[in-house]
Amino acid sequence: MAKYNITEKREKEAAYRSLVSPRLMDEMQEKIMNIVVMQKKYRDKDYSAKRLAEDLGTNTRYISAVVNVRFHMNYTSFVNKYRIEEAMTILVDKRYQDLRMEEVSDMVGFANRQSFYASFFKIMGITPREYRISHLAQHPSLKTPKAAKATKDTKAKKAKATKATKAAKATKGTKATKAPKKAAKGSKKEK
């Protein structure tokens, strides 16, 4: 007799997805795109699937079904995708180079910096800061004077830290630092 009752996991098809006709899905897809993307409702932190359903005169299950079937993601991922796309544009725009990440995340509709970073990393594979830095490295003409100064300051700090590290390593190997160890060994022998 088998010790464990293991059966293959079957992929379940959500029943409500098949309740929405293809024609209705097409209509709702167009309306969702119009409201979320064209009217840029994704910028509103509080614009939920529930509010979208109210605006369309339907329920959240239909919204969820359409977004899942037509866009192959859930509602939150769908909205975050457009937020990240806009954030990418802002991060490399010369006019917005002086904005902090919190300000960028607020502009595109994230409730906080942590969720912005998490969504950005999930979609792009790098952080927003890394994205901005790599883009500016590829296009140095986009650097504003303040951004160029910040880059120089960062390089200077790194060089200074490297020198300090090398100096610390060099002094570690001198006889002055080894002498106390020998004295400590000698004191153990005396006991």
Side-chain angles (χ1 to χ4, degrees):
M1 185 162 113
K3 189 173 183 177
Y4 300 103
N5 187 12
I6 300 174
T7 58
E8 268 189 54
K9 184 178 178 182
R10 293 185 206 137
E11 193 65 34
K12 293 181 182 177
E13 182 68 28
Y16 62 87
R17 290 182 187 174
S18 59
L19 295 176
V20 184
S21 72
R23 187 182 58 73
L24 183 60
M25 273 207 188
D26 290 340
E27 286 176 29
M28 287 183 67
Q29 178 184 2
E30 197 172 305
K31 289 177 182 178
I32 290 169
M33 289 296 289
N34 179 42
I35 291 174
V36 174
V37 181
M38 303 306 279
Q39 295 178 23
K40 298 192 178 192
K41 292 287 188 177
Y42 60 84
R43 288 181 178 172
D44 183 356
K45 296 175 183 56
D46 303 318
Y47 199 75
S48 62
K50 185 177 180 181
R51 282 194 39 206
L52 177 61
E54 288 169 3
D55 289 348
L56 293 176
T58 187
N59 63 42
T60 54
R61 286 196 134 196
Y62 284 150
I63 298 295
S64 179
V66 172
V67 172
N68 276 289
V69 171
R70 298 298 174 144
F71 303 110
H72 308 289
M73 60 185 82
N74 64 28
Y75 177 78
T76 304
S77 297
F78 173 71
V79 171
N80 285 347
K81 176 181 168 234
Y82 291 101
R83 289 174 175 166
I84 297 303
E85 285 177 6
E86 184 167 352
M88 289 168 55
T89 304
I90 291 170
L91 288 170
V92 299
D93 192 325
K94 192 174 183 176
R95 298 172 291 180
Y96 301 112
Q97 289 301 307
D98 297 334
L99 289 180
R100 295 184 342 263
M101 289 302 155
E102 290 84 4
E103 295 167 322
V104 173
S105 71
D106 192 51
M107 284 176 69
V108 298
F110 283 97
N112 57 54
R113 188 179 68 91
Q114 289 79 10
S115 58
F116 172 54
Y117 264 74
S119 295
F120 197 99
F121 191 83
K122 182 180 177 184
I123 292 171
M124 297 302 298
I126 58 174
T127 65
R129 184 177 181 280
E130 290 170 340
Y131 178 79
R132 178 184 265 172
I133 290 169
S134 70
H135 193 274
L136 289 175
Q138 294 171 357
H139 303 78
S141 62
L142 293 177
K143 287 184 183 178
T144 61
K146 188 175 179 179
K149 184 183 182 303
T151 304
K152 285 180 187 176
D153 290 347
T154 304
K155 286 180 182 177
K157 284 179 186 176
K158 283 183 181 178
K160 192 174 182 180
T162 304
K163 279 185 181 179
T165 305
K166 285 180 182 176
K169 285 181 181 177
T171 58
K172 245 185 187 178
T174 63
K175 291 179 182 175
T177 57
K178 290 184 180 179
K181 289 180 184 175
K182 287 182 182 177
K185 287 180 183 177
S187 65
K188 287 181 185 175
K189 289 180 184 176
E190 292 173 6
K191 289 180 182 178

